[in-house]
Amino acid sequence: MYDLVVVGAGPYGLSVAAHAAAHGLRMRTFGRSMESWHAMPSGMFLKSEPWASHLSDPEGAYGLDAYAAVRGLRAAHGVPLPVDFFASYGDWFARQAVPALDERLIGTVAPAADGFELLTEDGEALRARTVALAVGVLPFMEVPGPLRELPRRFVTHSSHHGELGRFAGRDVTVVGAGQAALESAALLVEQGAATVRILARADRLHWNTPPPALDRGPWPAVRAPHTGLGCGWRNKLYADAPGVFRRLPAATRARIFDSALGPAGAWWLRERFAAVGEVRLGQRITSATVTPDERLRLDVAGPEGSTVLETDHVVAATGFTPDVDRATVLSPVLRASLRTVGGGGAPEVGGLFESSWPGLFLAGLLTAPSYGPSMRFVLGAEYTAGRLVRGVRQRLRAGARGRAVGRPRAGGKAPVAA
């Protein structure tokens, strides 16, 4: 039986695995290294600053700057990095800090005596006392209701696309107002789509401003300190003190999660986005149907009333919703048993990232409603990894004490067999 199985090999899973390995835990890590990052279209850039995009290892030896040095490059403040460079960095981090990454996927995590049983995609059964679920964002893709039942040849999520060249010569509607929507639209124009439009509920587009110099003098630094989420004291709270955020009232956390760091385009994208010819704001799709000539008819409601739009394809760049019911790798027993934040769909997470089911730890987007906006970004891996592994070690010690005296495991009800 393993002490820990890490499910997922993106920035959070690899960071947790690096900390667990450094502590000598008997562990396995499963997942395709940086899978969602490798799947992004070529030509995309990292929105966050290089110094806010490190994966985490206990010694800090394998940061993004170290990888850039290996490549003979410099990761400089204010200079956007290609996403494929960041994906390659994650692969390098895995080779340096994560022993024996198994690129098979885990199909099921279910409760079992003294821990969990996991099944790999090819049917191998494993037992573990604890599990760290770090499955990234892909299970939580959000598509507007009227589009959800339409075939993939007409509607896709922005995360579905490795390349956008297949839309050359076609009419494409991108839904959303955030970075994924705006950058996808710009790339579609650059790669030859005949017509590209943005359709968004927001009444205006927001653009981040260029980052000020790191060394600005004392007064500007005090008034609006740099953080990995942008300048300002509120962002500093989100970036540096997720533990404080977790102690806020549930209603306050929910309000901040819904509103903080809303959709915005990167400063370096704005000039490229100018080539997108049509931007329809303050509008939402009310229904969508396939026409006899194999196009999409969209009924759209906006400030001027209802209109009809025909397009060849819709790309929904509409983000991700952290809902435990979408984490289908967890057995129904586990999903139904987890306490959620304020009665919503996101699981409640304790002080060391343990869920309400003893031994099941969570990392990444699923923890954002508990720990705040930084968990939606690579930045949050640094705060998460060491604390989560400390929680795992505490749970392992508590479990050993419980078995020694013949009582249920500490920290909550004893797991039952699936």
Side-chain angles (χ1 to χ4, degrees):
M1 178 179 283
Y2 294 102
D3 293 330
L4 170 68
V5 169
V6 180
V7 180
Y12 281 81
L14 294 176
S15 296
V16 169
H19 281 259
H23 282 287
L25 298 184
R26 293 170 295 169
M27 60 166 292
R28 296 281 297 276
T29 306
F30 289 87
R32 297 175 187 131
S33 175
M34 302 294 286
E35 180 178 25
S36 64
W37 296 89
H38 281 296
M40 292 183 185
S42 58
M44 281 194 165
F45 287 83
L46 204 61
K47 190 179 182 186
S48 58
E49 291 296 320
W51 51 267
S53 304
H54 302 299
L55 277 64
S56 178
D57 65 279
E59 301 300 323
Y62 304 119
L64 182 58
D65 50 355
Y67 175 66
V70 167
R71 292 276 299 269
L73 302 171
R74 180 170 173 263
H77 174 72
V79 179
L81 287 172
V83 162
D84 57 2
F85 180 91
F86 180 72
S88 297
Y89 159 57
D91 294 341
W92 174 82
F93 180 95
R95 293 192 297 271
Q96 306 302 315
V98 179
L101 173 64
D102 190 323
E103 295 216 336
R104 291 178 296 173
L105 301 181
I106 293 295
T108 306
V109 178
D114 291 327
F116 302 88
E117 180 174 86
L118 302 93
L119 287 177
T120 66
E121 58 186 341
D122 57 357
E124 180 185 353
L126 305 159
R127 299 291 290 274
R129 292 192 170 91
T130 64
V131 168
L133 189 70
V135 291
V137 298
L138 293 185
F140 311 108
M141 290 184 294
E142 187 64 49
V143 175
L147 303 173
R148 287 175 191 162
E149 303 305 319
L150 293 171
R152 279 274 293 268
R153 69 182 185 275
F154 296 109
V155 176
T156 49
H157 192 272
S158 56
S159 299
H160 288 144
H161 295 291
E163 296 300 337
L164 297 169
R166 71 183 181 95
F167 295 112
R170 304 186 72 196
D171 182 297
V172 184
T173 299
V174 181
V175 180
Q179 176 70 8
L182 304 180
E183 193 171 15
S184 294
L187 283 169
L188 282 161
V189 171
E190 293 164 1
Q191 296 185 20
T195 303
V196 179
R197 71 181 56 81
I198 285 283
L199 191 154
R201 291 180 300 174
D203 58 7
R204 61 181 291 243
L205 296 181
H206 296 271
W207 296 94
N208 299 132
T209 56
L214 286 175
D215 185 6
R216 295 172 288 157
W219 173 239
V222 168
R223 190 171 68 174
H226 271 295
T227 83
L229 301 176
C231 292
W233 283 101
R234 183 172 297 182
N235 286 340
K236 189 169 180 61
L237 169 66
Y238 301 152
D240 295 351
V244 173
F245 183 94
R246 195 182 70 83
R247 291 179 173 85
L248 295 174
T252 303
R253 282 184 285 152
R255 177 178 52 79
I256 293 174
F257 176 76
D258 287 339
S259 60
L261 302 176
W267 61 270
W268 44 261
L269 178 63
R270 194 165 188 171
E271 184 176 341
R272 290 169 56 197
F273 181 78
V276 177
E278 185 179 352
V279 178
R280 301 176 59 148
L281 300 177
Q283 303 190 17
R284 60 186 178 86
I285 298 169
T286 58
S287 67
T289 55
V290 178
T291 68
D293 58 348
E294 292 286 286
R295 302 191 81 212
L296 273 183
R297 172 195 160 113
L298 305 178
D299 294 303
V300 179
E304 307 301 322
S306 297
T307 58
V308 174
L309 169 66
E310 284 200 5
T311 188
D312 294 322
H313 193 91
V314 171
V315 175
T318 41
F320 307 89
T321 299
D323 187 333
V324 70
D325 285 337
R326 300 185 186 187
T328 54
V329 67
L330 298 177
S331 73
V333 168
L334 281 177
R335 279 182 275 137
S337 300
L338 295 180
R339 289 198 300 269
T340 56
V341 179
E348 185 72 67
V349 186
L352 295 175
F353 291 89
E354 189 171 21
S355 73
S356 59
W357 189 285
L360 177 63
F361 293 79
L362 306 176
L365 180 66
L366 274 176
T367 71
S370 290
Y371 276 94
S374 65
M375 300 302 146
R376 290 159 35 193
F377 300 90
V378 174
L379 176 73
E382 176 67 33
Y383 184 89
T384 300
R387 290 170 175 82
L388 188 152
V389 171
R390 191 185 341 146
V392 166
R393 295 168 68 206
Q394 286 185 11
R395 173 56 57 198
L396 292 171
R397 290 194 295 270
R401 289 196 300 270
R403 287 191 296 276
V405 299
R407 57 182 172 82
R409 292 169 29 146
K413 65 182 181 181
V416 296

